């Protein structure tokens, strides 16, 4: 049995549901609901633009190669998208200022090359930062990251790795420890366990992880399908407003997972 599979099985076997008292669950549910409402209110129109299947797949495969928990891979995707959206907004803001001040703007080609050349480094930095948030403290060392990047043909120094991590942290105002859809899934499974669910919560947890993987990998078609079913209208113009809000909500993916469970 290889490392990634062994790590995933160990992660699942360590999970226990029903060990938390009801008062703690109520507090946690209220906190998650508040965070979800805040995420919806702060929804950006470009949320989801950096969740292409190949990007998410790259993060997932890299996390498996480094034997990281599933929560780390989800967190890394969330951090990466928020960072890239912030970068895009900064570029647009800078271009607006340059036009207003009638200074010579930096060419789009140069900006695109700058983003492209650093994208893999930023992606790896997001995975490394997410690993540092893991409850089991399996942190990826700089040596491991440098070796991986070198295998892809990217040569960087430890100082550049640290600078990349700091760039991500500063861009997001050091707010990277936000709940992922997995947090909502696990909390709901805890509630289902107390309410006498017929299927063991541990088995549902494993199924939900697989469904969450699919939701992340097939982000746009899954969300589009859910929205069409919600409003019973297939015209994109009427779905556009709901689309950006739904993508910004961390609770939406677990709703997709539960929808699949209830229909199976």
């Amino acid at each position: 049995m290889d490392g990634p599979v062994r790590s995933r099985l160990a992660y699942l076997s360590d999970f226990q549901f029903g060990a938390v008292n009801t008062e703690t669950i109520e507090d946690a549910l209220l906190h998650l609901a508040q965070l979800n409402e805040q995420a919806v209110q702060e929804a950006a129109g470009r949320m989801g633009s950096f969740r292409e299947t190949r990007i998410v797949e790259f993060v997932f495969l890299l996390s498996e190669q480094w034997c990281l928990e599933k929560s780390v891979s989800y967190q890394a995707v969330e951090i990466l998208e928020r960072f890239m959206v912030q970068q895009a907004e900064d570029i647009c803001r800078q271009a607006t200022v340059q036009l207003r001040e009638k200074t010579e703007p930096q060419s789009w080609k140069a900006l695109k090359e700058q983003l492209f050349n650093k994208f893999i480094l930023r992606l790896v930095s997001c995975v490394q930062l997410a690993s540092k948030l893991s409850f089991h403290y399996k942190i990826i060392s700089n040596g491991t990251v440098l070796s991986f990047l070198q295998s892809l043909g990217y040569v960087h120094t430890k100082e550049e790795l640290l600078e990349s991590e700091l760039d991500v942290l500063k861009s997001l105002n050091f707010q990277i420890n936000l709940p992922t859809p997995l947090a909502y899934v696990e909390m709901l499974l805890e509630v289902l366990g107390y309410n006498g669910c017929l299927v063991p919560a541990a088995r549902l947890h494993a199924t939900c992880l697989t469904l969450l993987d699919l939701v992340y990998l097939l982000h746009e078609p899954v969300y589009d399908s859910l929205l069409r079913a919600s409003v019973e209208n297939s015209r994109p113009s009427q779905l556009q407003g709901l689309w950006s809000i739904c993508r910004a909500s961390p609770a939406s993916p677990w709703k997709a997972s539960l929808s699949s469970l209830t229909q199976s």
Side-chain angles (χ1 to χ4, degrees):
M1 186 180 297
D2 59 14
V5 174
R6 184 165 54 248
S7 174
R8 183 176 182 120
L9 291 177
Y11 170 69
L12 294 176
S13 64
D14 288 342
F15 252 87
Q16 293 183 359
F17 292 95
V20 181
N21 60 58
T22 55
E23 290 79 8
T24 302
I25 292 178
E26 289 176 359
D27 291 341
L29 282 172
L30 178 61
H31 180 63
L32 288 175
Q34 291 172 342
L35 291 176
N36 185 65
E37 182 178 359
Q38 180 181 350
V40 170
Q41 291 175 349
E42 297 174 354
R46 287 182 292 274
M47 292 298 287
S49 302
F50 298 94
R51 289 203 196 200
E52 292 184 10
T53 297
R54 56 181 180 173
I55 296 176
V56 175
E57 185 178 16
F58 190 106
V59 173
F60 282 6
L61 291 175
L62 181 58
S63 299
E64 284 193 6
Q65 180 177 328
W66 286 343
C67 301
L68 298 171
E69 297 177 358
K70 292 302 300 179
S71 59
V72 175
S73 60
Y74 299 145
Q75 190 72 265
V77 172
E78 301 293 338
I79 294 173
L80 177 64
E81 181 185 40
R82 290 174 55 226
F83 171 74
M84 293 304 298
V85 167
Q86 187 63 50
Q87 290 289 100
E89 290 178 345
D90 289 343
I91 291 175
C92 293
R93 193 177 301 113
Q94 180 182 359
T96 301
V97 172
Q98 289 173 338
L99 287 173
R100 185 167 58 245
E101 296 178 353
K102 297 182 179 180
T103 58
E104 175 136 11
Q106 190 174 0
S107 70
W108 169 243
K109 182 178 180 181
L111 290 171
K112 183 178 179 181
E113 288 181 355
Q114 183 180 347
L115 287 175
F116 178 79
N117 293 335
K118 290 187 176 181
F119 182 75
I120 295 297
L121 176 61
R122 301 305 195 206
L123 185 152
V124 173
S125 292
C126 291
V127 175
Q128 193 173 15
L129 286 170
S131 75
K132 295 178 180 180
L133 298 174
S134 173
F135 292 150
H136 296 279
Y137 301 103
K138 183 175 177 55
I139 298 173
I140 303 304
S141 67
N142 289 337
T144 300
V145 174
L146 289 173
S147 297
F148 172 75
L149 290 173
Q150 188 173 6
S151 69
L152 297 180
Y154 298 94
V155 180
H156 293 284
T157 64
K158 290 185 178 181
E159 288 74 18
E160 289 174 329
L161 287 183
L162 293 175
E163 288 176 3
S164 179
E165 284 189 81
L166 281 174
D167 285 343
V168 174
L169 289 170
K170 290 178 180 178
S171 179
L172 299 178
N173 198 25
F174 291 84
Q175 301 297 316
I176 63 171
N177 193 15
L178 300 178
T180 67
L182 181 59
Y184 293 84
V185 167
E186 291 174 346
M187 183 53 60
L188 190 58
L189 289 177
E190 190 74 33
V191 174
L192 288 175
Y194 270 104
N195 290 337
C197 183
L198 297 178
V199 181
R203 190 187 307 172
L204 287 176
H205 184 261
T207 304
C208 284
L209 285 179
T210 301
L211 291 173
L212 273 179
D213 282 354
L214 288 174
V215 172
Y216 268 93
L217 289 167
L218 303 175
H219 184 267
E220 188 161 342
V222 168
Y223 277 52
D224 186 53
S225 177
L226 288 174
L227 282 170
R228 291 175 189 274
S230 299
V231 300
E232 298 181 351
N233 193 313
S234 59
R235 284 181 290 176
S237 60
Q238 294 185 331
L239 295 175
Q240 188 173 2
L242 288 174
W243 177 246
S244 60
I245 293 176
C246 239
R247 288 189 299 186
S249 170
S252 296
W254 67 257
K255 292 177 182 177
S257 299
L258 290 175
S259 175
S260 299
L261 283 174
T262 56
Q263 293 175 9
S264 59

